[in-house]
Amino acid sequence: MEKPAFEIGVVMAGAVSAGAYSAGVMDFIMEALDAYEEAKSKPDWDGPTHDVRIPVLAGASAGGMTSAISALHAFREGFQHVWPEDPELKTPQRKRNRLYSSWVEDIDIDPLLETTDLDADGADAPAKSLLCCDVIDRIVRDAFDIEGGVRQPNWIGRGDDCTLRVFLTLTNLRGVPYSFQLFGTDDPRRYGMLNHGDFLDFRIGVGAAPVDGAHALDIRDTSGEGWDLFREAAKATGAFPIGLAPRRIKRTPRDYTFDSRVGFERPDGSGFEVVPPDSWIDPIDPYAFVAVDGGTIDNEPLEIARRYLSGAGKRIPSDGVKTDKAIILIAPFPNFSEGARERAEDPKDLGLANIAKKLFSTLIDQARFKPDELSLAVDDRYYSRYIIAPERKPNKNEESTKYPIACGVLEGFGGFLHHSFRRHDYLLGRRNAQAFLRWSFVLPESADLFQGFTTNREKWFVRKPNSDAFKYFPVEGKAEKGLPIIPLTETMRTEIRIGADDLPDPDYLFRPDHRSQLDAKIKTRARKVVSRIVDVELPFGDNLIGWLERIGAKRVGTGFVVDKAGRAVTEALDNVRKAFFVQSGEG
């Protein structure tokens, strides 16, 4: 009898610096899968023995970068996971855990405020971003420097296919052209439009072979054009507009015949039909474009992952009995938005400056709007969508609920301010993933997945946290006990505790010496960026008046940026302090 298998598509949402949280979640999930595979191969294992497979990772922005690094580690031995109470595993070796080194140790405010990018490009080159992205180039380069031999984990792939598909979303600023003939008219002209929501499809594995639309990448040799494209895509998906530098992508237009967000569900229910772009782009090979953050348009690429996971684009059974596949959404900012509750009658709302400020975020919010997908992820009656979002015990301050992760302040950039913010969120990701797998990632006991497991169910039924009482799960109009989809071994059930030493340290930057150093770096970076914009991109004349105007523009622009950044940093640090530490007089 063929062993039953459960397939998981992992989707990682955009998160800016909170990629540290997503990285922590993936750290634990990968460790749990390795532990389960090892345990069930031993004769004394008394738990479920079904297979668990991950055939696809999909990510946007920071989630895309985390997907890329996770894919590299999945095929390498010796992943050193983080256990904060174990002196030997408190901080992993850099080459044994690139999720940790990339998101906790390397991506920091100091290298982001360097000016090496401006210096290298030359005085006549435009400024590409507010922050220096040389550190991102270094992180992507180092991500491939992993110790440990190549391996083939049993939990990767589906059926006989042992490869991993990785989808990285991009925002294509050139756009991909589509047009159609207007029905009922003799006018030969076509109605045209551009699609800017793009993604790249990679098939990674030991000896991975090409398939239509996917770039095959052999993990045994990470050189060559395919891997170069993978590196650039990892940078591009996280290129937060204006803040981080855009990237140039070159791909074949033939890809769009097989992989695209443009298409429709076939009427007979047989799957998703891709609509190809206009044929005039076919000879333009490579099709080159400037790309920015994938999360700008598709911040939670749930549908892309679902289509692949379902096989033919059909809907995945979600009743809990026949369910054999599921999407897990890792969402550091799950968008349980209360933005609509903001004041709506302030006279300034009608002002030109306020409209310009709001327009950018409004367009992004609308492009990302997908209420059906997110509502399914939080519905406990729907067994093919799950969500892992930051959760911790709040204190008496409102900010502790608003900011469950330290990286959430400063519109998601807050984690760059200090190493302790990112480490805490990484550990919280591991802790939340552990709780999720133990108490939430469950199917009812009547599920087909568990029909071969009959001898020791009582021990493995899911209990309530810190209790011997069973948890019950809704199915077919009743409630049943549940069994874990990824059973945790005894070691993996050891509670991950985040001690006082691993809490965020906002007071570090409140100290005058440290804050003055940060302010000086902000000013240096701001002065160079503003000067480059004024000198290269603003049309001032080459006379005395133009020279005076340039001087004034640089002074005013630099002052504005420094003042704005200083206020934002102070507010962010104050919010972290309130979110994690009870203030005096509050008990």
Side-chain angles (χ1 to χ4, degrees), residues 33-206:
L33 285 167
D34 281 338
Y36 174 53
E37 284 293 331
E38 181 181 3
K40 71 178 183 176
S41 68
K42 296 180 178 179
D44 60 347
W45 175 250
D46 63 357
T49 58
H50 60 270
D51 288 335
V52 179
R53 309 287 296 276
I54 296 182
V56 57
L57 300 177
S61 190
M65 300 180 80
T66 304
S67 297
I69 300 172
S70 298
L72 296 174
H73 265 299
F75 292 97
R76 301 298 289 269
E77 298 171 341
F79 195 160
Q80 194 174 80
H81 304 278
V82 186
W83 289 87
E85 294 184 312
D86 186 331
E88 295 184 2
L89 298 176
K90 185 177 179 69
T91 302
Q93 299 175 40
R94 292 178 58 80
K95 295 184 180 182
R96 293 286 181 177
N97 189 334
R98 286 300 183 186
L99 285 171
Y100 186 89
S101 68
S102 299
W103 280 111
V104 178
E105 296 178 336
D106 295 339
I107 187 70
D108 191 72
I109 192 64
D110 285 343
L112 288 170
L113 291 176
E114 290 176 353
T115 59
T116 50
D117 56 333
L118 298 169
D119 298 336
D121 289 343
D124 294 332
K128 297 175 183 176
S129 55
L130 293 180
L131 298 173
C132 178
C133 293
D134 289 351
V135 62
I136 294 175
D137 293 336
R138 294 194 294 269
I139 288 170
V140 172
R141 179 198 66 209
D142 292 347
F144 286 78
D145 186 10
I146 300 174
E147 288 186 354
V150 172
R151 66 165 185 162
Q152 178 60 67
N154 293 332
W155 50 267
I156 287 292
R158 62 178 1 154
D160 295 331
D161 183 355
C162 296
T163 62
L164 177 67
R165 293 294 273 272
V166 178
F167 299 110
L168 304 180
T169 67
L170 309 168
T171 297
N172 180 335
L173 296 187
R174 181 180 185 179
V176 181
Y178 292 82
S179 65
F180 59 89
Q181 185 82 37
L182 290 174
F183 184 77
T185 178
D186 294 329
D187 191 332
R189 292 175 297 180
R190 298 172 67 84
Y191 182 82
M193 62 197 77
L194 290 172
N195 176 45
H196 296 278
D198 213 337
F199 68 90
L200 278 165
D201 177 0
F202 299 95
R203 186 172 190 245
I204 303 175
V206 179

Side-chain angles (χ1 to χ4, degrees), residues 214-288:
H215 299 264
L217 303 178
D218 189 339
I219 197 68
R220 295 171 299 182
D221 180 6
T222 57
S223 61
E225 291 184 4
W227 282 107
D228 289 343
L229 179 62
F230 183 76
R231 290 178 175 88
E232 284 306 303
K235 299 173 190 177
T237 190
F240 193 89
I242 301 175
L244 302 175
R247 304 287 176 167
R248 291 190 181 277
I249 296 293
K250 297 180 180 180
R251 65 182 307 184
T252 173
R254 187 170 179 271
D255 288 351
Y256 296 112
T257 305
F258 305 100
D259 275 333
S260 175
R261 296 170 73 242
V262 180
F264 58 91
E265 297 288 345
R266 299 188 187 102
D268 62 2
S270 62
F272 184 81
E273 181 78 24
V274 172
V275 174
D278 288 348
S279 60
W280 62 260
I281 75 166
D282 292 347
I284 307 175
D285 195 356
Y287 193 71

Side-chain angles (χ1 to χ4, degrees), residues 301-376:
L302 293 158
E303 185 60 18
I304 296 172
R306 184 200 64 79
R307 289 208 307 262
Y308 181 79
L309 190 66
S310 66
K314 298 179 181 178
R315 285 290 166 186
I316 299 169
S318 59
D319 59 3
V321 177
K322 298 295 183 182
T323 304
D324 60 355
K325 300 177 178 67
I327 295 289
I328 296 176
L329 170 63
I330 304 173
F333 310 128
N335 289 336
F336 300 136
S337 177
E338 297 187 11
R341 298 184 185 180
E342 294 177 357
R343 55 172 176 69
E345 296 184 2
D346 191 312
K348 293 181 180 179
D349 290 343
L350 301 177
L352 181 61
N354 185 71
I355 295 299
K357 174 183 174 183
K358 291 286 188 181
L359 184 59
F360 181 66
S361 61
T362 298
L363 293 174
I364 291 177
D365 288 343
Q366 187 60 41
R368 294 175 174 179
F369 185 61
K370 50 183 84 171
D372 292 342
E373 295 283 3
L374 292 179
S375 64
L376 294 176

Side-chain angles (χ1 to χ4, degrees), residues 9-25:
V10 181
V11 176
M12 289 175 244
V16 199
S17 68
Y21 176 84
S22 301
V25 171

